[in-house]
Amino acid sequence: MSSMPLDLMDDWVIISHEFQKLPMVFEHGQEQYYVVWETNKPASESLLEWWVDTLPSNKQDRAHHVVEAQYKLLDESHHRYSAIIGPVGLASAVHYRCTTSTASTKEYTIARRSKTELTQILVISDNQHGDDVFRQVLAAIQNHYGRNVFPDAILHAGDSVQHVERLEDWQDQLFSPLEDAGGYQHRSPMVFVSGNHDHDKARTPSNWNVYADMYHGVATTEGLGAPEVVNGLYHRFYHAVSLGSARIISLDAECPSAEQSAFLERELQSEAFQSSQFRIVTMHIAPYIEFWDPYTWNEKGEKHWGEHVRLEYDQLFRQYNVDLVISGHQHNYQRGTVRRNPQSADGGSITYAIVGGAGGGLDLVRVEDWDMYTVTYLDHHFVSLEIENRELRWTAKNRAGDIIDQFNIVR
């Protein structure tokens, strides 16, 4: 007998008690996607099958690629599988499904937009430990896009769960709410920014980020079976991807390293970044935080978390003409736009946005004043980010669907 709720059964071609988590798809470089799913017992012949529609004719290429998934035992009732789709080349759409010897998911489709097409990105963060509120935010998101309409990507700025080591938190606080809202995670690839609740800061084999550690830099499914990946020692949370006419750099705000700093400078200087219409950087901990718990901020030293982002990285953001910095961590909404070079009127502007309101308990006490934010909203919310050729449109809404902030950048 399947333990799957009845309202999920339409998502299966063949129903089987083996499947416990339907696939979640992540951006994994420019022409690849990382896919993870789970069964409640070992599944034989666990495969990922994918094929594409090709440009310019949008004719479907029915040549199917079949990849044998990598297996990881989490515990006796949690069996994780992962695989990499791609490279997909000049595909306008990617289709995939996950199969075992006895069951198959339905076919899912990932739309791929050109630089001139409208690209819709859902921006959320910090839904952890607030699944009831997260479900309310997701209901507002459904109303915004329409039922069975999916954004082209999800930018999650971190803290998707409260306790990374509790497998039930991953189910209750991330997978189940997304599934019940229509399954955004199957069709809208996630640009995932690891938060302080999403991983073991020590980066040791005990790291429990078993679902959203995307192993950036690993190019093949076979590479996911490398010893350093299997034993939990491989962690690289910094990466970059182009979506529409924007280039997005994602950084690990908690764990600075010489490797990440070199990556950041290299990417900021790259043709892909500099030639993009819109240059975006995202990390979990904002460079300029104003609201937090006063005790932990001052007495526990949490004011120093991510300090390197402000002291080291922010000057690079301004030097290399970053347009927008998106963060979470602080559980409310703030947005401010300042000149990149306060001493010059010719240096252009940079916008900082904190979007930490997808479900977690709110931060209501001010601990700093950077005199830079023009919008502050102390409640839960989400952001619709639309990028269309030479225009960027940002719309923040609350749980009721009311607009709390808007701005556009036009080239």
Side-chain angles (χ1 to χ4, degrees):
M1 176 77 66
S2 171
S3 60
M4 184 170 295
L6 291 175
D7 60 352
L8 300 186
M9 289 192 175
D10 285 346
D11 258 357
W12 298 95
V13 175
I14 303 172
I15 304 300
S16 170
H17 67 280
E18 291 182 348
F19 287 91
Q20 191 158 261
K21 288 182 176 67
L22 288 162
M24 179 175 284
V25 60
F26 297 87
E27 295 281 358
H28 193 76
Q30 205 51 49
E31 297 184 5
Q32 294 185 313
Y33 302 95
Y34 174 78
V35 186
V36 61
W37 65 99
E38 184 181 89
T39 63
N40 63 354
K41 64 181 182 181
S44 60
E45 297 182 6
S46 192
L47 306 173
L48 177 71
E49 183 180 5
W50 63 272
W51 61 101
V52 303
D53 295 348
T54 56
L55 289 171
S57 63
N58 287 343
K59 182 178 180 181
Q60 191 168 89
D61 179 357
R62 298 303 300 186
H64 287 213
H65 305 265
V66 179
V67 181
E68 184 176 355
Q70 290 290 332
Y71 168 73
K72 184 177 181 66
L73 172 65
L74 305 184
D75 65 22
E76 62 181 12
S77 60
H78 293 80
H79 303 266
R80 192 204 71 182
Y81 295 88
S82 59
I84 292 174
I85 294 174
V88 300
L90 297 176
S92 59
V94 178
H95 311 274
Y96 75 95
R97 58 175 166 246
C98 304
T99 67
T100 70
S101 59
T102 60
S104 171
T105 68
K106 68 180 293 185
E107 172 190 321
Y108 298 113
T109 298
I110 302 166
R112 291 171 56 85
R113 307 300 181 189
S114 72
K115 290 184 178 181
T116 59
E117 289 182 288
L118 170 64
T119 301
Q120 299 186 87
I121 304 171
L122 167 64
V123 184
I124 56 175
S125 186
D126 296 271
N127 55 281
Q128 91 278 14
H129 204 49
D131 46 295
D132 288 342
V133 176
F134 186 33
R135 289 174 182 275
Q136 295 171 20
V137 172
L138 285 168
I141 291 169
Q142 281 187 296
N143 289 334
H144 175 80
Y145 289 109
R147 287 192 172 272
N148 298 317
V149 178
F150 303 93
D152 299 304
I154 299 172
L155 195 165
H156 194 303
D159 279 3
S160 58
V161 296
Q162 180 71 10
H163 300 287
V164 66
E165 73 279 5
R166 295 181 185 175
L167 297 181
E168 61 268 27
D169 277 17
W170 288 97
Q171 185 70 51
D172 297 340
Q173 296 173 22
L174 184 63
F175 280 86
S176 289
L178 287 171
E179 192 64 65
D180 293 346
Y184 287 101
Q185 73 273 30
H186 316 317
R187 306 166 180 88
S188 302
M190 196 174 291
V191 180
F192 188 80
V193 183
S194 185
N196 54 292
H197 284 275
D198 294 319
H199 57 72
D200 177 348
K201 299 189 186 97
R203 300 295 199 274
T204 65
S206 63
N207 190 323
W208 276 96
N209 192 328
V210 293
Y211 300 112
D213 190 343
M214 294 78 63
Y215 312 108
H216 291 285
V218 177
T220 65
T221 300
E222 290 76 13
L224 297 174
E228 62 269 25
V229 175
V230 174
N231 66 21
L233 289 174
Y234 185 96
H235 306 291
R236 180 182 149 185
F237 291 109
Y238 52 90
H239 52 101
V241 67
S242 294
L243 293 175
S245 58
R247 184 73 171 173
I248 301 174
I249 300 174
S250 176
L251 298 174
D252 185 347
E254 272 202 293
C255 296
S257 66
E259 292 78 11
Q260 178 170 250
S261 295
F263 160 82
L264 175 60
E265 287 214 53
R266 187 169 61 249
E267 179 61 34
L268 287 170
Q269 297 170 12
S270 70
E271 174 68 18
F273 193 77
Q274 288 300 316
S275 65
S276 294
Q277 292 292 343
F278 303 102
R279 297 172 289 274
I280 300 172
V281 177
T282 181
M283 77 288 296
H284 178 63
I285 301 178
Y288 301 97
I289 286 178
E290 292 193 340
F291 290 82
W292 203 249
D293 174 77
Y295 173 73
T296 59
W297 186 254
N298 294 299
E299 302 302 323
K300 303 284 285 186
E302 292 185 7
K303 62 165 45 179
H304 301 297
W305 288 8
E307 199 168 49
H308 63 284
V309 175
R310 184 175 69 256
L311 298 180
E312 177 188 354
Y313 295 165
D314 190 40
Q315 60 183 323
L316 295 174
F317 300 163
R318 299 183 184 217
Q319 178 183 347
Y320 289 104
N321 299 321
V322 170
D323 298 301
L324 176 60
V325 178
I326 302 171
S327 305
H329 193 55
Q330 175 182 296
H331 293 190
N332 55 41
Y333 178 87
Q334 288 192 289
R335 194 262 299 176
T337 300
V338 300
R339 293 193 179 278
R340 294 192 186 100
N341 182 355
Q343 310 306 318
S344 171
D346 301 325
S349 61
I350 181 171
T351 297
Y352 299 87
I354 298 177
V355 295
L362 295 168
D363 289 315
L364 304 175
V365 180
R366 184 181 291 276
V367 292
E368 300 284 356
D369 186 352
W370 293 103
D371 192 27
M372 61 180 292
Y373 294 111
T374 55
V375 180
T376 296
Y377 180 77
L378 303 180
D379 210 337
H380 297 97
H381 59 273
F382 70 95
V383 171
S384 165
L385 174 58
E386 296 185 341
I387 298 168
E388 188 170 15
N389 196 7
R390 303 174 72 88
E391 184 173 3
L392 180 152
R393 299 184 289 271
W394 174 280
T395 303
K397 290 186 173 184
N398 61 19
R399 282 180 284 173
D402 301 323
I403 295 174
I404 59 173
D405 186 31
Q406 278 183 308
F407 71 90
N408 293 3
I409 303 175
V410 180
R411 298 298 186 211

